[in-house]
Amino acid sequence: NEPAIIMAEIPPARQGDTKPPLSGGPQEGPLAMNIKQAKTQIQNAMTAYFTKDPFGSYVIPIEQQRPVFLMGPPGIGKTAIMEQIAAELGVGLVSYSMTHHTRQSALGLPFIVRKTYGGKEYDVSEYTMSEIIASVYDLMEDAGVKEGILFLDEINCVSETLAPSMLQFLQYKIFGRHKVPDGWIVVTAGNPPEYNNSVREFDIVTWDRLKRVDVEPDFDAWKEYAYSRSTHPAVMTYLEIKKSDFYQVETTVDGKRFVTARGWSDLSDMMRLYEQHRLKIDENLVGQYLQNRKIAKDFAVYYDLFNKYRSDYQVDKILSGKVEESIKDRARKAKFDERLSLLGLLLDGVTEHLRSVCAVEAAQTQLLEALRAVRTELAKPGAEASKLLEKQIKSQRTALAAGRRASSMSREDQLTLESVCAVLEEERAMLVKERPEDGKAAFALLKKDFDQRMAGLRKSAGDAGKKLSNLFRFCGEVFPDGQELLILVTELTLNPHCARFIGRYGCKEYYERNKELLFYERQQEIIRKMEDIDWDLDEV
C-alpha cells in the first residue's frame, strides 16, 4: 500500500543500459521499522504534541498535529504498543476498530431542529454526538484524564458509506460536527492490501496530512516485550531456534495459513494456565493459536521435548547449587539446541524469583509513601490510625480504578497497587484487633509490621541473588568456552525484571562476565545502579 507521492524526474536510461535505474530517493516508500522503533517514533511524536508554551497553549497547534498512521501486517503488536505508550505517558487511551462502525455510529444520528434566519424559521438537520467522540468525553469524565490518545484501528478498511467522513476526520479531526477534544492525539492503524482485500487506497491529500510509520515483524524487537510479559520459555527458546516461524502469512489452495506475534503471545498465556491446572498441552491446543499446521505440529513436538528437559535437568537443584555431576556431564555433551532449551528453563526459573522480589519492592516503596502520609495525619488532633488507613485504601483504589479505566496504568503498576491495598487492609485489621491507646502507639505497630516486611524482602532478595550466582556458576563450569555465557548475559540484560534486580541488588558474576564479553560499557545504562531508596519511616 504505497502512498501516492510526487515522483522526482528520473533521468532516462542511457543507450546500451540493460538495467533500470537503481531504486532510491523519492520514488521509494517509507522506511520500514520494527515494532520497538515504531513505538519510539510514536512516543516521541506524542511527547512533542503534548508540549505547551508558557501560556498553556500547545506549541504545535491542534490543527497542525498530524494523526499518526501505523501501517503494518496483522498481529505484530500495533494495539499493544499503544497501550504501553499510554501507560508510560500517563494519559488516557480510547481504542476503536473502524471496521465495526457504520456511518451512523461514527457520525451520530440526524435530528431536526428549528432555527431562525433573517426573521424566518427553518428546519435544520443536526447530528447527535458521534459514539467515538462521546467515548473520549466519557473517559475524561470517569477517569479524570484531560489528555489522551484516540486510537482508530483498520481505518483503511472502513465501509464505503463511511470512507468520505473518515478522510474528513483524518484531515480535520471532526466526526460530523463534533471535534476531538483538545489534548487528545489521534493515532490510526491499518493493514497493507496484501493482508486485507477491503483496504482502500488513500489519495495524496490524505497522506500529506498523516505521519506514516511503517512497521514489520521482527523477533528480536518482540523479545523484549515478550520478556516483560513473562512469555513461556518454550516459546522463547523455540523461536530462538526457528526464528523463521515467528511470523508467517501464506496463501494456499486451502486458504490462508498464518502465524503472528499475537498468536505466540496468546498461546503463551494459555500454556501458563494449562500448566497451572495440569491440563494437557498438545497439537490441538497449539493449532488454535498457530494457524499453520506444520509450525503448530513442530512446536507441539518441541514442547514435549522441552518438558522432558525440564524433568531431566532438575532446574531447581541447579539454581540451589546442589546439581549432580551426571546433570553437568549431560549438559556438556548436549547439542546446541538442547543447551539453548536448558538455558531457557534456567532463565525462566531464576526470573520468577527476581521478578517476585522486584514486585514486592515496588509495593513496599508505594506502601512507604502511604504510611508516611498516615504518620503526618496522625500528628493532627483527633486523628485515628484505622480511619486514616481506610482513607489511604480508598485513595489507592480510586487511582487503580482510574488507571484501569483510562488505560493509563500498566498491568505491573496495577498489580503493585492491588498489593498495597491488600497490605493496608491487613494493617487496618491489625489495628482494630490490637486497639493501640493513641496515634504514637498505632504508628509503632505499623512501623514494626513494615520493618518485618522489609526484612522478608531482604531475605528474598538474598535468596534470589544466590540462585542467580548459582546459575552463573553452573554455566561457567559446564560451558566455559561456549556461546552459552554470552547468551545468558544478553538475555539477562534484555529481560526487564532481571535487569532491574541486578541494577538494584547487584550480581558480581554478571558484572564480571559482562566485562569479559565486552558488554559492560555498551550496556552500562541498562544495568546502572538505582538510587538507594530511603526506607526510614521516621523521615517524612
Side-chain angles (χ1 to χ4, degrees):
N1 189 24
E2 295 296 326
I5 56 177
I6 298 175
M7 302 289 287
E9 184 178 353
I10 301 174
R14 292 172 297 179
Q15 188 174 5
D17 281 353
T18 57
K19 297 180 180 179
L22 294 174
S23 63
Q27 69 267 32
E28 289 188 342
L31 177 67
M33 57 191 76
N34 63 44
I35 198 70
K36 181 181 178 181
Q37 293 169 326
K39 177 185 173 183
T40 300
Q41 289 294 319
I42 296 170
Q43 196 163 18
N44 290 346
M46 301 299 99
T47 301
Y49 285 167
F50 284 132
T51 302
K52 294 181 179 179
D53 63 24
F55 305 101
S57 299
Y58 291 102
V59 175
I60 299 179
I62 301 298
E63 60 275 8
Q64 294 180 22
Q65 294 181 0
R66 291 188 176 199
V68 176
F69 185 92
L70 190 59
M71 174 72 85
I76 62 171
K78 297 190 291 292
T79 302
I81 65 169
M82 295 316 306
E83 294 170 350
Q84 294 170 37
I85 290 171
E88 290 170 17
L89 293 179
V91 298
L93 175 66
V94 173
S95 299
Y96 271 96
S97 175
M98 294 309 297
T99 55
H100 301 156
H101 277 278
T102 63
R103 186 174 186 276
Q104 287 76 21
S105 62
L107 298 182
L109 295 173
F111 64 93
I112 305 299
V113 296
R114 198 80 172 166
K115 291 190 175 182
T116 302
Y117 299 111
K120 294 183 179 181
E121 290 189 340
Y122 297 90
D123 290 332
V124 180
S125 296
E126 292 279 2
Y127 282 85
T128 58
M129 180 173 282
S130 159
E131 175 189 330
I132 296 172
I133 303 298
S135 294
V136 175
Y137 282 106
D138 286 341
L139 184 62
M140 294 173 70
E141 291 290 329
D142 296 343
V145 294
K146 295 183 179 180
E147 295 180 326
I149 301 168
L150 174 58
F151 178 59
L152 304 180
D153 199 4
E154 298 179 316
I155 64 161
N156 56 348
C157 299
V158 296
S159 64
E160 185 175 351
T161 57
L162 183 55
S165 300
M166 193 71 242
L167 296 178
Q168 180 193 42
F169 173 77
L170 293 175
Q171 295 177 28
Y172 305 109
K173 302 179 188 174
I174 294 174
F175 271 132
R177 300 188 63 176
H178 303 285
K179 186 175 180 292
V180 176
D182 290 352
W184 280 75
I185 292 162
V186 177
V187 179
T188 63
N191 302 138
E194 59 266 32
Y195 297 99
N196 195 322
N197 293 331
S198 60
V199 166
R200 295 176 177 277
E201 179 62 64
F202 291 159
D203 58 26
I204 189 172
V205 175
T206 304
W207 280 123
D208 197 38
R209 286 175 167 82
L210 298 174
K211 276 175 59 69
R212 176 168 172 169
V213 177
D214 280 43
V215 62
E216 59 187 7
D218 185 301
F219 170 68
D220 291 327
W222 176 79
K223 222 164 64 165
E224 292 184 47
Y225 167 75
Y227 273 136
S228 69
R229 285 177 50 87
S230 301
T231 298
H232 197 287
V235 171
M236 300 295 285
T237 52
Y238 175 84
L239 291 175
E240 282 287 358
I241 298 168
K242 294 191 174 184
K243 291 185 179 181
S244 61
D245 288 354
F246 171 61
Y247 195 100
Q248 285 193 23
V249 178
E250 58 183 12
T251 303
T252 69
V253 292
D254 298 321
K256 293 281 188 183
R257 291 181 182 174
F258 58 91
V259 177
T260 68
R262 182 193 295 128
W264 286 111
S265 184
D266 291 347
L267 173 61
S268 167
D269 292 342
M270 188 59 71
M271 289 171 63
R272 292 282 194 187
L273 292 173
Y274 266 51
E275 289 179 344
Q276 178 182 325
H277 294 285
R278 299 184 182 278
L279 300 173
K280 184 179 181 181
I281 297 173
D282 55 18
E283 187 179 347
N284 291 328
L285 172 69
V286 175
Q288 296 165 26
Y289 295 89
L290 310 180
Q291 298 188 43
N292 179 302
R293 188 173 301 172
K294 182 182 182 303
I295 294 177
K297 182 177 181 178
D298 286 351
F299 179 72
V301 170
Y302 174 79
Y303 177 74
D304 290 339
L305 184 62
F306 185 85
N307 270 340
K308 185 177 185 302
Y309 295 152
R310 194 195 310 243
S311 173
D312 291 352
Y313 277 105
Q314 303 173 19
V315 170
D316 289 341
K317 286 189 176 181
I318 293 176
L319 296 180
S320 64
K322 301 175 182 179
V323 61
E324 300 169 2
E325 283 299 320
S326 60
I327 298 295
K328 294 181 181 179
D329 289 338
R330 173 173 175 175
R332 290 187 186 102
K333 297 173 183 177
K335 294 181 180 179
F336 182 69
D337 57 348
E338 183 173 333
R339 293 183 177 192
L340 200 60
S341 299
L342 174 58
L343 274 178
L345 284 165
L346 292 171
L347 280 166
D348 186 62
V350 77
T351 298
E352 181 180 348
H353 296 283
L354 305 187
R355 182 176 61 246
S356 176
V357 170
C358 290
V360 173
E361 183 185 83
Q364 286 291 95
T365 303
Q366 197 90 355
L367 178 64
L368 177 67
E369 296 305 313
L371 293 180
R372 282 177 170 173
V374 169
R375 183 178 184 276
T376 301
E377 292 293 321
L378 278 174
K380 299 178 182 178
E384 295 183 29
S386 61
K387 290 186 177 180
L388 291 175
L389 286 178
E390 276 187 38
K391 180 181 176 182
Q392 279 295 323
I393 293 169
K394 183 178 179 180
S395 173
Q396 301 286 347
R397 293 201 182 281
T398 299
L400 178 60
R404 282 176 173 163
R405 175 75 176 87
S407 298
S408 58
M409 185 181 293
S410 69
R411 177 61 180 156
E412 190 174 14
D413 289 342
Q414 292 177 33
L415 291 174
T416 296
L417 281 186
E418 287 175 345
S419 298
V420 171
C421 289
V423 173
L424 290 173
E425 290 280 10
E426 291 176 12
E427 292 180 335
R428 189 182 69 84
M430 175 189 66
L431 292 181
V432 171
K433 180 181 178 181
E434 295 293 334
R435 296 182 180 179
E437 58 185 20
D438 55 24
K440 184 176 181 180
F443 190 77
L445 288 173
L446 293 174
K447 188 176 187 304
K448 180 180 178 182
D449 179 78
F450 180 84
D451 290 342
Q452 289 174 346
R453 293 179 188 276
M454 283 302 303
L457 172 61
R458 284 190 285 269
K459 183 179 184 306
S460 296
D463 292 342
K466 289 177 183 177
K467 293 182 186 298
L468 185 57
S469 294
N470 289 333
L471 170 56
F472 271 101
R473 189 172 299 112
F474 172 82
C475 291
E477 292 176 6
V478 176
F479 314 121
D481 302 315
Q483 301 179 49
E484 290 75 17
L485 281 167
L486 170 64
I487 294 172
L488 175 60
V489 170
T490 303
E491 299 305 302
L492 287 171
T493 304
L494 284 175
N495 190 310
H497 307 294
C498 298
R500 180 179 174 187
F501 179 92
I502 294 171
R504 177 73 181 101
Y505 297 98
C507 176
K508 182 182 69 173
E509 295 83 0
Y510 172 86
Y511 291 123
E512 288 175 352
R513 293 295 180 179
N514 219 0
K515 289 179 180 178
E516 289 175 14
L517 298 169
L518 303 179
F519 273 82
Y520 188 81
E521 294 298 330
R522 184 158 55 91
Q523 298 176 343
Q524 186 63 24
E525 284 191 37
I526 301 175
I527 61 170
R528 67 182 183 273
K529 290 284 187 179
M530 295 170 57
E531 293 182 358
D532 288 338
I533 298 174
D534 180 7
W535 295 108
D536 190 353
L537 264 176
D538 291 327
E539 292 189 13
V540 180

